[in-house]
Amino acid sequence: MSLDAKQMPVSELLSGNRQYRIPNFQRPYAWGFDEAYQLVEDLISAWRRGDESYFLGSIVVVFDDAGGRTVDVIDGQQRLTTLSLMLAVLRHYFITDDAQRAEISELLQISGNTILGVKERSRLCLRDADQEFYRRYIVADDLLGLAETSVEDRDSKAKNNIKENVDAIREGLTGALDDVEALEFLQFFLARVYLVMVSTDNFSNAHRIFGVLNTRGIPLTAGDIFKARVVGAVSEGQRNHYGEIWDRSIESLKLKEPDSFFHHLLVTLTKNPSKRALLEEFDMVLDRHLAEGGEAFVDGILVPYTAAYLKLTSGSQLLPRDLQRQVDLLNQHQSEDWKPVAMWILVNVTDSATALDLITKLERLFGVLVIAHQGSETRSARLAGVLRALAEYTEKDGMVAVNSSLAVGDELRQNALYRMKAALPRGGVVRRVLLTRAHVAASGGSTDLPRSYGVATLIPREGIDGVAESVDAEYWKQRLGGLILTRANASEVSRKGSADALKATFEAKGVVPATLASVCPDLGEATQESLEERHEELVRLIATFWGITHDNEGVDLTRLSESELLQTTGGYRIRRSRRVALADVVRVGMISPGDVFVWRRPNKGEVYRVTVTDSGTLRLPSGGEADSPSGAVTAVSGSSASALDVWVRESDGKKLREMWTTYEKRFTARG
C-alpha cells in the first residue's frame, strides 16, 4: 500500500498546481455558522497568545494522477472549504493592498500555464452541484453578490452554508481585527496553522486510513498522565485506594474527552486564561500542589471540583432550584468559558444565598459578553479577573471587588443592546439564548426553561395570506421581532401558506407565550408596525432580565435606535459588520448621481458603462437599473467578477473599492 503523511502549513497546502477535488459521492459541505465562528475564535486566540503553531487535524486524499495535480478528498472537506472561505473574507474585507489580495487569489485559484499544460482552475473543487456557486462567489471574489443571493439562489445545503459561514467568519474577524492586525493574523494563518495530509493511491486504502483515524480506541489522555503523577506522590500503602478515588471521580463526569475538565480546573487553580498546552501548564500546577502530597490534591482539589463540575453539567437537578435555573441558562451557551468561575463558587462559597447571587451575576456577565460579540480571548481574560477577585474575597472587605469584577459597564451594555436590535447571527444558539431570557423575564423569573423548544421564524416567507404586504419576511427572519420559541421545526413552518395555517401549527406543536410578548397575538394582524412593536418589547424584556436597561447616567438604552446605539459605542468595528450599500456611499457625497463607472475587458474587446442614479442605483446600458455593483456586473456581462475592482469611475480613474474602503474608515464610526 502506497502511503505518505506530511505536515504542512496552510500556505504550502494551497500552493503549487494541486487541486483538491470533493468526489460527488461525498456528503455536501455541512459546517454551519457555529462551527465556522468557533474556528475563527480559536485561531484568533492562538494568534494573540503567540502560539508557535496551531494544529488543525488531518486530511486524507487519493492521488488521481501521477503528477499529483488532482487529489480526491476523502476526509477534510469541512476544514478545506472553511479555510478557503476565511481567505476569501480576509481578501475582500480586510486586506487592502492589491498585491497582497492577488497573492490570496493565487491560493484560491490555480493560474493557467500553457507551457506546463496547467489549466486555470479552482484550488478547491466542490461537488458538481455546488462548484459553480463556490467559483462564482468565493473564488471570483464576489462576496457582495453572495450577500444578495436569495433562498432560491442557494438551492442546496452546501450553498446556504457557504453564505452563512462567510457571514460567520466576517463577523468573527470584524470584532477582533483592525486593518493592521489583519495582515499579521493572515501571516499567522498561512505560516503557522498546520494540517497533516495523508495521501495514498487508491480509494480502498484511503477509506481504511479514514476508518483508523476516526475510530476511537483507548488513547492516553493528559488526565492519565496527571493521575500517574498524583498517585505516584501518594504514600505507597494508599496508592491503590487513591487511584480508585481518582477513577471514580473522573468516570462520574461521563465525559467523552476528560481532558476538557482539566482545562477548566487549570483555569480555576491558576486564575489565568490557559496559554500553553494543557500538559505543560498543568504539570506546573502539580509541581506546586504535590509538595503537600498526592492525598491532599485528590481530597482537596480533585474530589470537590469533579463534584462541582458534575453539578454544573449533569442536568440532574443536583442544585437548589433557583441556582439550577441559572446554571441551566449558562449551559445554553456553546462556549464553556464560564465553568471555571462557577466551579470555584460551588466549591468555595458555602452560603447558598451568596452562591446564588454570584452565579446569577455570572450568568448576566457571560450572556452580555457573548451577545456583545466579545471574543473568546476577551471573555477568558475578563472571567480570569473574576476568579482573582473571588480568591481575594474575605468577610472583612466584603463583596466590593467581586461585584466590580462581575459588573457590566456602559460600553458593554450599549454594544449588547445594539446587537439585540440588529440582525442576529445565523446560528441558532444566540437566538435561543435571547428568546429564553425574554420568556423568563415575562414570567417574572420563576418559570422553568422551555427545554424542548427551538427557534422558528414567525413570518416564514413573503406573500403569506393574512399578513400585511408591507411585512418584509427576509428582514424579520434575522431579528428578534420575527422569531419565536416553538416545538414546530423550520420545515413545518416554511410550508405554511397562510397565517391561519401557521397559527394552527404553532398551537398544535406548542409555542412559548412569553416570546409573543402579547404584542402580536393574532398572526392574521401582523404588520410591519406590530412586528416593530413586538421587537422592541422583546429587547426590553431581555434588557430587564439582565439589568442593562439604563446606563450610568440613567439613559434608557432600549429606547435608542440602532444608529443611536452605534454612536454611543463609537464602534467602528461594530459598524463594519454591516454590509455597505452603494446608497450609503452616495449619501455621504463620495459618489454623486450622474457619475459614470466603466468596466473595460480588453481581452474580450468589451467596455461597459453604468451611471449612478439619484436613488443610489446603477442605470444599465439597457435602460434598466441594478441595486448593487455586483448586480450590475451580472446584468451587463452575464458572468461574475469582483465588482469593487472592475468598476472604475470614468472621471478620475478611481476604483470602486477605494471609495468603499474610505467610506468604512471615515464614516462607519459616525452612525
Side-chain angles (χ1 to χ4, degrees), residues 606-661:
E606 298 171 347
V607 178
Y608 302 111
R609 285 181 173 83
V610 293
T611 305
V612 180
T613 69
D614 292 337
S615 58
T617 61
L618 293 170
R619 183 171 294 111
L620 306 171
S622 64
E625 292 183 6
D627 292 331
S628 67
S630 57
V633 166
T634 302
V636 300
S637 68
S639 62
S640 62
S642 178
L644 296 184
D645 292 318
V646 301
W647 290 117
V648 176
R649 185 157 57 189
E650 197 166 47
S651 62
D652 58 9
K654 285 187 176 180
K655 285 184 178 181
L656 202 54
R657 179 175 296 282
E658 182 179 345
M659 302 170 200
W660 238 250
T661 301

Side-chain angles (χ1 to χ4, degrees), residues 128-147:
D128 290 347
D130 307 311
Q131 174 58 19
E132 177 54 29
F133 184 90
Y134 170 79
R135 185 207 62 78
R136 173 176 179 177
Y137 295 111
I138 303 304
V139 179
D141 192 16
D142 189 17
L143 300 193
L144 287 176
L146 177 65

Side-chain angles (χ1 to χ4, degrees), residues 352-422:
S352 59
T354 302
L356 174 60
D357 178 61
L358 291 172
I359 293 290
T360 300
K361 290 173 179 175
L362 173 63
E363 190 282 324
R364 175 181 76 159
L365 173 62
F366 191 76
V368 174
L369 285 169
V370 170
I371 300 307
H373 196 190
Q374 303 299 295
S376 175
E377 182 185 10
T378 301
R379 294 196 307 265
S380 297
R382 180 67 189 272
L383 294 171
V386 174
L387 280 168
R388 290 192 291 272
L390 285 168
E392 296 171 1
Y393 163 73
T394 66
E395 291 296 335
K396 183 178 180 180
D397 60 21
M399 295 287 288
V400 176
V402 174
N403 286 333
S404 176
S405 71
L406 288 163
V408 177
D410 281 355
E411 184 175 354
L412 200 54
R413 295 179 184 219
Q414 294 156 0
N415 196 331
L417 263 296
Y418 165 73
R419 292 193 179 278
M420 280 188 242
K421 291 200 171 194

